[in-house]
Amino acid sequence: MESKTLINTKHYYKIKFSILKTQHLLIKGKLNHIKASFILDTGASNSCLGFNCIDKFSLQAEYSATKAAGAGATNMETQIAKNSLLQLSYFNKPEMSWVLLDLSHVNFALASFKTKAVDGIIGGDILIKYQAIIDYNNNYLYLKKPLKK
């Protein structure tokens, strides 16, 4: 039986995700018009990319005194990259800012399950701002469209 959606999709962007063997939610999109893959992480306060993405996506990285911590890693050096274009399906976020850090521990864990590496993580900065709704039953992330002025 197909479930009915209670979300008025004309007010939301509908973004498909897949579930990895690790139970992480994978979203594919583009960053600066180049294909990218992201883990959707409701526990991450900020969206982030690995240092290895600086050249891949032509990012302008700047020094940051902020240290990062996450599952399995603490006191990590960070940089900031601003003014990039994030595209997830029809959702476009120009002038997106990212925290850059070493994501090798994340990709190492994925590799141990024979899962492809990811470029980054979509975190709370996007999920909160765009009032995210995660439909686990149908594998969709919904992000609220800005009100038209």
Side-chain angles (χ1 to χ4, degrees):
M1 182 168 108
E2 189 174 320
S3 66
K4 292 183 181 179
T5 182
L6 299 175
I7 299 168
N8 185 342
T9 54
K10 74 179 183 183
H11 297 295
Y12 285 84
Y13 296 103
K14 184 178 180 182
I15 303 160
K16 186 75 173 164
F17 65 80
S18 58
I19 301 174
L20 300 174
K21 294 177 202 173
T22 59
Q23 299 302 305
H24 289 96
L25 308 183
L26 178 73
I27 294 180
K28 293 188 177 187
K30 291 185 178 180
L31 183 58
N32 293 338
H33 306 287
I34 298 167
K35 287 182 182 180
S37 60
F38 306 95
I39 288 176
L40 175 62
D41 188 346
T42 60
S45 56
N46 291 293
S47 295
C48 54
L49 296 167
F51 286 130
N52 60 316
C53 292
I54 293 171
D55 290 336
K56 179 178 180 180
F57 298 111
S58 301
L59 302 173
Q60 300 301 313
E62 301 172 6
Y63 171 78
S64 173
T66 304
K67 302 285 186 196
T74 59
N75 206 29
M76 294 184 288
E77 298 289 330
T78 65
Q79 293 182 19
I80 300 294
K82 299 177 182 175
N83 299 322
S84 62
L85 171 63
L86 172 65
Q87 298 168 280
L88 304 172
S89 185
Y90 292 102
F91 173 82
N92 289 294
K93 172 88 170 98
E95 300 180 15
M96 173 80 181
S97 292
W98 298 89
V99 174
L100 299 170
L101 50 88
D102 181 1
L103 288 180
S104 61
H105 65 287
V106 172
N107 284 317
F108 180 77
L110 293 174
S112 70
F113 284 86
K114 296 182 175 33
T115 300
K116 290 182 181 177
V118 295
D119 297 301
I121 295 169
I122 302 295
D125 53 340
I126 293 292
L127 302 176
I128 293 167
K129 181 174 183 176
Y130 294 96
Q131 301 174 29
I133 298 170
I134 302 172
D135 178 354
Y136 290 97
N137 193 43
N138 297 299
N139 294 7
Y140 284 105
L141 167 68
Y142 293 90
L143 297 176
K144 191 163 185 138
K145 294 178 181 177
L147 295 175
K148 294 186 179 180
K149 296 177 183 180

